[in-house]
Amino acid sequence: MARTIGSHGPKTMEAIRKAGLRLIFEHGYAAMSLRQLAAEVGIQSGSLYNHISTKQELLFELIRDHINELLRQLDRALQGKQRPVDKLRAFVAFHVTYHMTKKREVFIANSELRSLEPKNYEEIVALRGAYERRLAEILSEGVAEGEFEVVDIQVATFAILALLTGLTTWYRPGGRLTREAIVAAHEKLVLSSVAPGATPDPARTKRAPSPDITAPGRLERR
C-alpha cells in the first residue's frame, strides 16, 4: 500500500485500527507483530507508540469498541418496541444484520478472547454479559406475559445467540438468499422455538423474570 500516512493524527490511528483488525483476523493475534503492523500502515515502528502503547492495548480496544457499538445499536433497535415478541423480532433482525457486515470484528471478539490479559478479559466478559442480558430480559418478559414458553432462560439465551452468530461462518454476500430473506428465516426459527406449545415439557417452563446468566465457568479462559 502507499506509504503516505503520517505518524500523527486521527487518520493514522484509524489506519492502525483497520490494519490491526485485518492482520489479527488473517494471521491471529499471537502471530501479528507491531513491526508488521507499522509496515502495513506505512510508518516507522517507533511511531506506533504515538498511538498505542502495546499490542494488547490494540486488541482490547478493538474488542471493547466492537461490543460497545453492538450494545449501542441494539438499544436503538429496541426503542419503541413494547411487546416482548416485537422486541425479540427486533433483536433477531438487528443481530443478524449487524453480524453480516462485521465478520472480522465478531471473529476476533470470539476467537481472541483468550488472548486478553486478565483485567481486560474481565471487562470484555462484563460487556458481553450486558448484551446477553438484553436477550434474557426479553425472554423473561415474554414468559411472564404468556407470549413465550421457555424451559430455561439461560439455555435459551445462549442457544439463540449461538444460532444467530453462527451465520458468520457461512454467510457470503451475493449468495442465493437476500439479506432480508436470511433475517426472515432466522426470525421464524427463533420465534417458533419460544412460541407456546413449542417446548417438549411445558410443565417445566421457568418464569423467573431476572435470570442469572453470569454463572461461573460459562466463559472459561483457555
Side-chain angles (χ1 to χ4, degrees), residues 70 73-79 81 83-101 131-132 134-136 138-139 148 156-157 159-168 170 179-195:
L70 194 67
Q73 291 196 31
L74 172 61
D75 288 342
R76 186 171 61 184
L78 293 175
Q79 284 181 357
K81 305 298 187 296
R83 294 180 57 201
V85 67
D86 293 329
K87 293 179 182 179
L88 184 56
R89 185 176 287 110
F91 181 96
V92 172
F94 161 73
H95 190 96
V96 171
T97 302
Y98 184 92
H99 283 64
M100 285 180 184
T101 61
Y131 188 80
E132 292 159 358
R134 300 291 201 282
L135 175 56
I138 293 171
L139 296 176
F148 303 152
T157 297
I160 290 171
L161 287 173
L163 167 68
L164 300 180
T165 304
L167 70 83
T168 58
W170 56 262
R179 288 187 179 184
E180 293 76 13
I182 293 173
V183 169
H186 282 82
E187 285 183 4
K188 186 172 183 179
L189 284 169
V190 172
L191 291 172
S192 63
S193 72
V194 299

Side-chain angles (χ1 to χ4, degrees), residues 121-141:
Y121 174 87
E122 294 302 326
E123 184 170 338
I124 295 302
V125 167
L127 287 174
R128 284 169 58 122
Y131 188 80
E132 292 159 358
R133 280 193 296 277
R134 300 291 201 282
L135 175 56
E137 289 165 0
I138 293 171
L139 296 176
S140 293
E141 182 182 352

Side-chain angles (χ1 to χ4, degrees), residues 59-77:
L59 176 65
F60 171 64
E61 289 185 353
L62 287 173
I63 298 177
R64 182 195 60 192
D65 292 351
H66 158 66
I67 301 179
N68 277 328
E69 182 65 10
L70 194 67
L71 284 164
R72 186 185 69 81
Q73 291 196 31
L74 172 61
D75 288 342
R76 186 171 61 184

Side-chain angles (χ1 to χ4, degrees), residues 140-215:
S140 293
E141 182 182 352
V143 169
E145 296 186 10
E147 290 193 19
F148 303 152
E149 189 173 274
V150 179
V151 173
D152 188 282
I153 297 294
Q154 179 180 342
V155 171
T157 297
F158 293 154
I160 290 171
L161 287 173
L163 167 68
L164 300 180
T165 304
L167 70 83
T168 58
T169 65
W170 56 262
Y171 171 74
R172 296 293 183 275
R176 179 173 59 87
L177 296 176
T178 65
R179 288 187 179 184
E180 293 76 13
I182 293 173
V183 169
H186 282 82
E187 285 183 4
K188 186 172 183 179
L189 284 169
V190 172
L191 291 172
S192 63
S193 72
V194 299
T199 57
D201 187 5
R204 295 178 57 207
T205 299
K206 292 191 174 182
R207 298 186 177 273
S210 181
D212 177 12
I213 64 168
T214 58

Side-chain angles (χ1 to χ4, degrees), residues 95-114:
H95 190 96
V96 171
T97 302
Y98 184 92
H99 283 64
M100 285 180 184
T101 61
K102 300 291 184 179
K103 181 176 180 177
R104 290 176 175 176
E105 291 87 343
V106 172
F107 178 83
I108 291 172
N110 291 327
S111 67
E112 296 295 351
L113 189 69
R114 65 184 182 275

